[in-house]
């Protein structure tokens, strides 16, 4: 835990960074019972460009990745939600027969209707409710190619509030007509991750990767326990790594505040805990425990037990007024990473609204912060959507696609570990920008093989036929 003890005489805020490293015990992964609900978007917009066929291929591939004994359910969603497997309405144990039946049900789906993601999630919640053991890992994954147009934001919010801490949900945006803010809202509420899949043919690979990562989960539920000194109150709790997520609204009150952290795979996560106080209530030059912080895990019987040694957040108010205390380097980096994410989202929002000047302004702020942080992943993404103008300043590409803008918003929450000094930044001109040799369109994904606008092979020359180069006769 990184918690600078010294506080300025007139400070009203104290912060700590809590880093948690989870490692499975020997054989633990094989003992963990998992329940999976796959949610497929079969709205009418999926009918075009072969999207539904690619989605069916991805769903079938995901079913094949599941271990025998996994509890499985499949929901098909449009403006309503339907359990297409199993027909009993309860989760079924995966084996060779149920795999085949599940894939047959997937293949038989037809595109129809609109989009109401809240109803899909509520249906998944009812399926998970058929599993009575609290020790089961509950995970859902959904994809959608459109906006949540057939329910209100309030209706979606009500469902998310109900589902929070019941199951984890990852989400994938397919194509470019979805809304990144909606996916982030869902995944932040349900402790999942969000990903852009701009090219439909990439969905199977990305979907199965998400499923394999989900099967690494070994702890059904984890909680951050905070026992505060009476002179302090909670300002906020934010996950800062590997993705940013606001967690404060999910707190559960009791003798100890519990912040749900979702299900836990073997990985490292970091959280920022920020406390508020009236400086006049603190004696000067005296160590004071502001909070005791403990990690709790849920057991198979539903009880929560500490799974870490408690850590004390100790502060000391300086007695000299006007004596500034610089924040720690790690806390400064976390605050700058948060600013970078906000600038990227502001850039994406402005671009979608046609506010080019504002988009360019936020882009420059984001690039500057990414360079200072040496965040190579987000810097590379920012440079891929920008061009240096006549004023020698970065501007948004005039032909940037909506899919690229959605990815900019979605990846704004992905933070990077502090870089090695030996790791350099990508050059300012970045990677070589691939463009369609026929129409000049920039592909929205690195792996795209064909132009999304005219269909020409990206690695061919302008005068080659669409089938690619041919041998001379």
């Amino acid at each position: 835990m990184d918690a600078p003890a010294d506080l300025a005489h007139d400070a009203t805020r104290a912060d700590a960074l809590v880093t948690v490293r989870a490692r499975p015990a020997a054989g633990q992964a094989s003992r963990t019972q998992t329940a999976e609900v796959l949610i497929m978007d079969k709205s009418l917009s999926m009918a075009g460009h072969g999207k539904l066929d690619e989605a069916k291929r991805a769903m079938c591939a995901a079913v094949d990745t599941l271990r025998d004994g996994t509890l499985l359910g499949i929901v098909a969603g449009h403006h309503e939600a339907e359990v297409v497997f199993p027909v009993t309405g309860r989760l079924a144990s995966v084996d060779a027969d149920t795999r085949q039946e599940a894939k047959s049900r997937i293949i038989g789906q037809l595109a129809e209707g609109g989009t109401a993601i809240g109803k899909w999630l509520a249906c998944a919640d009812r399926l998970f409710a058929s599993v009575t053991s609290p020790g089961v890992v509950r995970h859902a994954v959904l994809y959608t190619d459109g906006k949540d147009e057939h329910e209100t934001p309030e209706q979606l919010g009500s469902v998310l509030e109900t589902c929070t801490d019941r199951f984890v949900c990852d989400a994938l945006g397919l194509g470019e007509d979805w809304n990144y803010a909606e996916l982030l809202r869902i995944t932040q509420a349900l402790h999942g991750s969000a990903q852009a899949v701009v090219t439909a043919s990439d969905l199977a690979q990305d979907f199965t990767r998400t499923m394999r990562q989900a099967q690494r989960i070994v702890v059904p539920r984890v909680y951050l326990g905070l026992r505060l000194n009476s002179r302090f109150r909670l300002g906020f709790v934010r996950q800062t790594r590997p993705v940013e997520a606001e967690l404060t609204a999910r707190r559960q009150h009791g003798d100890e505040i519990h912040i749900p952290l979702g299900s836990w795979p073997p990985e490292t996560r970091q959280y920022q805990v920020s406390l508020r106080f009236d400086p006049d209530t603190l004696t000067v030059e005296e160590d004071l425990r502001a909070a005791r912080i403990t990690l709790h895990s849920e057991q198979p019987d539903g009880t929560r037990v500490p799974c870490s040694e408690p850590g004390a957040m100790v502060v000391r108010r300086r007695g000299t007024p006007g004596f500034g205390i610089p924040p720690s380097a790690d806390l400064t980096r976390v605050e700058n990473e948060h600013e970078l994410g906000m600038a990227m989202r502001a850039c994406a929002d402005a671009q979608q609204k046609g506010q080019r000047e504002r988009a360019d302004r936020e882009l420059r702020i984001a690039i500057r912060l990414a360079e200072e942080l040496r965040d190579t992943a987000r810097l590379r993404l920012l440079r891929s959507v920008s061009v240096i103008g006549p004023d020698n300043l970065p501007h948004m590409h005039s032909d940037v696609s909506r899919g690229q803008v959605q990815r900019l918003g979605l990846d704004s929450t992905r933070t990077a570990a502090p870089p090695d000094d030996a790791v350099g930044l990508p050059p300012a001109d970045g990677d070589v920008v691939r463009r369609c040799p026929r129409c000049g369109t920039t592909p929205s994904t690195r792996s795209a093989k064909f132009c999304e606008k005219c269909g020409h092979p990206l690695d061919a020359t302008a005068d080659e036929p669409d089938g690619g180069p041919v041998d001379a006769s």
Side-chain angles (χ1 to χ4, degrees), residues 74-88:
I74 297 172
V75 172
H78 43 74
H79 54 276
E80 298 292 343
E82 175 189 1
V83 178
V84 298
F85 176 83
V87 292
T88 61

Side-chain angles (χ1 to χ4, degrees), residues 30-52:
S30 62
R31 297 197 305 268
T32 305
Q33 177 68 61
T34 303
E36 289 283 352
V37 174
L38 310 183
I39 305 174
M40 62 182 299
D41 181 349
K42 67 166 189 176
S43 60
L44 193 58
S45 59
M46 288 292 297
H49 307 291
K51 286 189 288 186
L52 188 57

